[in-house]
Amino acid sequence: MPRVRTGFTTGACAAAAARAATRALLLGVPVTEIAITLPNGALARFAVARCERSAASCRCGVVKDAGDDPDCTHGAEIVADVGLRDAPGVEVRGGVGVATVTKPGLGLEVGVRAINPVPRRNIAEMVTAELADERRGALVTISVPRGEEIARATLNARLGLVGGISILGTTGVVRPFSTSAWRAAVAQAIDVARAEGLEHLVLTTGGRSERFATALLPTLSETAFVQAGDDVALGVRHAARRGAREVTVVAMVGKLAKMAAGALETHVSRSCVDLDFMAELAARCGASADLVSAIARANTARHALELADAAAIAELPQRLCQRAAEALAGAAGPSVRLRAALVDFDGVLRAAHPPFPEAR
């Protein structure tokens, strides 16, 4: 079976660069390699591409390796400037080439630089580890020298991320969901589960949704959980061919909304969230004309759901799950019981169709 090579997120590279800069500043010597603890708890080592010191600060850069994932940020240098200060604690800021958030629905406040919460925390933790024997704090500024140029190859501007790329990564690891090698790995994972006699398989769109799914279905074997990435439809079809009796798909709103609208290939290069579809569903759930219009103009599926939640349109998550389950069932065929479950960004179950047995 073809092997896939994982890579590292922009967030992991930023944490590595920040730790290297802090160490070089404290020791007064260049750093050429650095080890960090990733958000998922694993240890990883990074080459330091540059290390420029002055009396008051240090700048280090790490070049992102995305592994086998066709990611436009592969090869980008993620830079951290670190300066010490008397006040305790670590402050993390975004600099040149890190996007500014200009629209809601991205999980960050409008006006801030797009350093997501998990990598921001990881950066602070790695710098704090270097400052263990110090009574001082640090100011860390993350920048991406080619960030604005790289962002032109993304949908960032449409989403309201202006002036660069985001610093992302909930695990620190990039898994190549969109390659043929990854699809082969998904099929093999399903084959292994069926060889163990497992009849109920759980397909997720990534590491975070898998973590949430295992909490929802704690009695299932670890082997039953398969990270299908953007290839959930492929996984559903393969599970049906291999004789699975039940498949549960667990996703967050962006991916689930695509499936609900019938776009079962969920990679950003192959489909976009259909906000008109979400607005139509909201109308069927009793949303006002103004709310329907606002959802159609929303920035993201997350933003659209936030608007519906604020207006107490409680039925919308269930409708999304129902439509996603129906679309996926069409791919699976009549021999498989298909369930679609929506979880929020904290892992809370918003809805499932059909409901989980204990939730009926």
Side-chain angles (χ1 to χ4, degrees):
M1 190 202 80
R3 296 176 62 86
V4 293
R5 190 171 67 88
T6 59
F8 295 106
T9 63
T10 50
C13 296
R19 184 167 196 172
T22 308
R23 181 174 297 181
L25 185 60
L26 292 173
L27 298 181
V29 296
V31 173
T32 59
E33 188 179 51
I34 196 74
I36 68 166
T37 303
L38 299 172
N40 67 4
L43 297 177
R45 300 193 73 84
F46 294 80
V48 180
R50 73 159 111 177
C51 185
E52 302 165 353
R53 293 175 294 120
S54 68
S57 66
C58 183
R59 168 177 289 188
C60 284
V62 169
V63 175
K64 179 180 172 180
D65 179 359
D68 286 336
D69 194 62
D71 188 332
C72 65
T73 61
H74 175 74
E77 185 184 20
I78 312 300
V79 173
D81 286 277
V82 176
L84 301 180
R85 60 185 188 180
D86 292 333
V90 176
E91 181 183 352
V92 180
R93 296 178 179 175
V96 173
V98 176
T100 298
V101 179
T102 65
K103 294 182 180 180
L106 295 166
L108 293 168
E109 293 182 12
V110 171
V112 304
R113 296 280 187 165
I115 303 176
N116 278 23
V118 172
R120 182 180 291 275
R121 183 167 61 249
N122 191 217
I123 293 165
E125 287 172 348
M126 292 304 97
V127 172
T128 299
E130 291 297 313
L131 294 172
D133 296 328
E134 298 284 325
R135 294 185 178 180
R136 293 176 289 177
L139 172 62
V140 181
T141 303
I142 304 299
S143 59
V144 184
R146 293 179 50 245
E148 192 163 4
E149 174 190 342
I150 294 167
R152 296 192 190 108
T154 73
L155 295 176
N156 278 12
R158 183 186 303 177
L159 296 175
L161 294 166
V162 176
I165 65 171
S166 302
I167 304 301
L168 302 168
T170 58
T171 65
V173 177
V174 172
R175 297 190 181 279
F177 287 144
S178 48
T179 65
S180 58
W182 177 259
R183 294 188 183 108
V186 170
Q188 186 178 58
I190 291 169
D191 291 344
V192 169
R194 290 296 299 128
E196 291 186 7
L198 303 179
E199 295 189 339
H200 182 186
L201 304 184
V202 183
L203 304 185
T204 65
T205 53
R208 183 158 53 156
S209 56
E210 181 177 85
R211 189 167 68 251
F212 297 157
T214 57
L216 288 174
L217 296 160
T219 62
L220 293 185
S221 165
E222 182 182 20
T223 312
F225 295 88
V226 177
Q227 287 189 39
D230 291 301
D231 294 303
V232 169
L234 176 148
V236 165
R237 294 187 188 101
H238 193 74
R241 284 195 296 269
R242 291 295 182 264
R245 300 292 299 276
E246 184 173 359
V247 174
T248 295
V249 173
V250 179
M252 288 174 278
V253 66
K255 301 291 188 184
L256 194 85
K258 290 183 178 184
M259 298 178 211
L264 300 185
E265 298 293 331
T266 60
H267 191 273
V268 67
S269 67
R270 299 192 288 269
S271 62
C272 295
V273 172
D274 187 342
L275 292 166
D276 288 332
F277 168 78
M278 289 191 70
E280 179 187 342
L281 277 190
R284 295 181 182 181
C285 297
S288 68
D290 286 347
L291 177 58
V292 170
S293 178
I295 289 175
R297 299 192 312 271
N299 187 33
T300 60
R302 179 176 183 171
H303 183 208
L305 189 56
E306 288 170 352
L307 292 171
D309 287 344
I313 307 299
E315 189 183 347
L316 183 58
Q318 189 64 40
R319 287 290 187 100
L320 285 170
C321 288
Q322 179 180 351
R323 294 294 291 269
E326 290 169 351
L328 291 164
S335 64
V336 178
R337 295 191 299 274
L338 204 297
R339 174 186 292 112
L342 171 64
V343 290
D344 69 14
F345 289 80
D346 294 317
V348 176
L349 177 66
R350 295 297 310 274
H353 182 86
F356 289 103
E358 62 272 18
R360 287 176 180 163

